[in-house]
Amino acid sequence: MSLDPIYYAISWILLRWHSLWDAVGVPDGRVLGTNWAWILSIFFLVVTLRVILFPVFVKQIKSQRAIQALQPKVKALQEKHKGDRETLQKEMMELYRVEKANPLMGCLPMFLQIPVFFGLFHVLQHLKPNLPDHLKQIYGWPLDKFISAADAHLFNAPVSAKFGSSASELAALGADSTTVKVLAGVLVLVMMATTFLTQRQMILKTGWAEDPQQLMIQRLMLYGIPFSLLISGALFPIGVVLYWVTNNLFTLAQQQWVLRKFPPPQMANKGGSTARPAPGTKMSSGLKSPVQPARTGGLFGRKSTPEPASPVVDTKALAPKPGAKPVNPKKGTRPANKPKG
């Protein structure tokens, strides 16, 4: 399957944003060793993608909360089919189907961004100044824009350079090896940290899954992916790493907004706390559940005053102590001494 449509789409978005920044007066030359028009174009490529994927992101949140609400039922199935993994998986898949909860929805936004990520990787790899002119106009790039993008830098490091670029590749880009490695190394570390934080933020808000399969996916997303970037990040062009970091920061802000706007329901007895009774309820003696005041269904729906709770009699306190003389209740108590008169 050809990925040319993705390459054309990414090139078109980059060119449109660059034309916009050029129109509003963002300098195309280097300021502080950076071609800000192209850097902003990469940044707003992320914004464009996230706006398109926002409905999918909302579905991801809803699906994760639906799965969280199903955890008691999942736990009951695990107890019922303990030792029968095949039946357990069938029952859980049926439960997810009936409740319309998709366990894979949590990974869907990331999977949808993978083609864009590799598409940008391919386009930036293609931005080489020493290519023949007929290859510079591929994927809809005008010749002047291609030359400008191929010379784009971020703090004196070409956006198409990598941490693992060879000496010959850096020489072709006219780049300094130390500058490229320092900047690329810092960006890779930031990419790892922000990837970890995006996953941690979601898990802390929605809680760890009870289902072993979901728990494994959560751990893979939280620890596995950031660690893998330590190795694979050396192969990414600086522009791609910048895209990933920007995407993570956008995700952090977006998740924070959604989770504040639509906070997840608190799980019962979460963290060992008990639910507070509603105002006006009484706690019955020896019970942890609130007792609602009695209501009468009068003609006008008036509420009757709650009946006072009967006092609890401590039978142990009334029992005779060992060795004490029994008291005859018929005799009663002796009257007080009357005054002589």
Side-chain angles (χ1 to χ4, degrees):
M1 179 180 176
S2 174
L3 294 179
D4 282 357
I6 295 176
Y7 303 150
Y8 275 99
I10 291 172
S11 298
W12 185 85
I13 294 172
L14 287 173
L15 288 168
R16 297 290 75 76
W17 279 113
H18 183 270
S19 298
L20 175 63
W21 301 126
D22 192 29
V24 299
V26 176
D28 205 23
R30 294 185 200 174
V31 177
L32 300 176
T34 303
N35 300 89
W36 292 107
W38 287 112
I39 298 302
L40 288 173
S41 299
I42 294 175
F43 177 84
F44 277 89
L45 171 65
V46 175
V47 174
T48 304
L49 178 65
R50 296 314 297 258
V51 169
I52 294 172
L53 292 180
F54 185 76
V56 180
F57 178 76
V58 173
K59 287 184 178 180
Q60 175 196 20
I61 298 291
K62 291 181 177 180
S63 178
Q64 287 176 334
R65 291 183 183 175
I67 291 174
Q68 182 184 12
L70 290 175
Q71 292 311 308
K73 293 183 179 180
V74 170
K75 197 169 184 179
L77 287 176
Q78 290 171 347
E79 292 294 329
K80 181 180 178 181
H81 302 290
K82 188 178 294 184
D84 190 353
R85 189 172 186 83
E86 184 177 352
T87 305
L88 175 62
Q89 290 297 326
K90 289 181 180 179
E91 292 287 339
M92 287 175 54
M93 290 299 105
E94 179 64 17
L95 175 64
Y96 290 145
R97 186 188 67 80
V98 171
E99 299 292 340
K100 297 180 180 179
N102 187 355
L104 298 179
M105 184 60 71
C107 305
L108 185 59
M110 178 174 286
F111 288 150
L112 291 177
Q113 292 180 70
I114 289 176
V116 179
F117 173 80
F118 283 108
L120 181 62
F121 181 93
H122 178 85
V123 170
L124 292 181
Q125 283 284 87
H126 183 75
L127 295 176
K128 296 179 180 179
N130 56 353
L131 287 176
D133 286 350
H134 69 281
L135 293 179
K136 293 178 181 179
Q137 300 180 55
I138 197 172
Y139 307 135
W141 284 83
L143 183 59
D144 60 330
K145 297 293 183 182
F146 183 96
I147 294 173
S148 174
D151 191 47
H153 284 63
L154 175 64
F155 300 123
N156 294 316
V159 295
S160 57
K162 302 171 288 188
F163 183 89
S165 293
S166 63
S168 58
E169 290 174 334
L170 293 175
L173 294 171
D176 177 69
S177 175
T178 302
T179 303
V180 169
K181 290 188 182 302
V182 169
L183 180 62
V186 170
L187 285 176
V188 168
L189 292 177
V190 174
M191 176 174 64
M192 292 173 61
T194 52
T195 301
F196 174 81
L197 289 175
T198 54
Q199 299 303 321
R200 181 175 178 271
Q201 181 190 53
M202 182 59 68
I203 292 173
L204 289 180
K205 291 291 184 180
T206 59
W208 288 97
E210 295 284 345
D211 176 23
Q213 184 179 2
Q214 291 297 312
L215 183 61
M216 182 182 67
I217 293 175
Q218 283 182 326
R219 286 177 175 170
L220 175 63
M221 300 287 286
L222 183 62
Y223 301 112
I225 293 179
F227 181 77
S228 67
L229 295 176
L230 182 62
I231 300 172
S232 59
L235 305 176
F236 299 156
I238 288 175
V240 172
V241 180
L242 177 65
Y243 166 87
W244 193 309
V245 170
T246 305
N247 184 64
N248 286 343
L249 294 175
F250 198 98
T251 301
L252 282 169
Q254 192 178 57
Q255 286 182 170
Q256 188 67 19
W257 180 84
V258 171
L259 292 170
R260 281 189 176 182
K261 190 78 173 176
F262 308 102
Q266 297 297 324
M267 299 298 290
N269 296 330
K270 187 175 181 181
S273 62
T274 56
R276 294 183 179 179
T281 61
K282 287 190 174 184
M283 302 296 292
S284 63
S285 301
L287 298 177
K288 292 184 179 178
S289 59
V291 177
Q292 296 289 345
R295 295 172 180 250
T296 57
L299 180 62
F300 300 102
R302 293 178 182 176
K303 299 178 184 177
S304 66
T305 56
E307 297 180 1
S310 57
V312 179
V313 179
D314 191 350
T315 56
K316 291 183 178 181
L318 295 179
K321 297 181 180 180
K325 292 183 178 182
V327 179
N328 190 349
K330 292 182 179 181
K331 292 183 179 181
T333 59
R334 275 187 167 186
N337 293 332
K338 294 182 180 181
K340 294 180 181 180

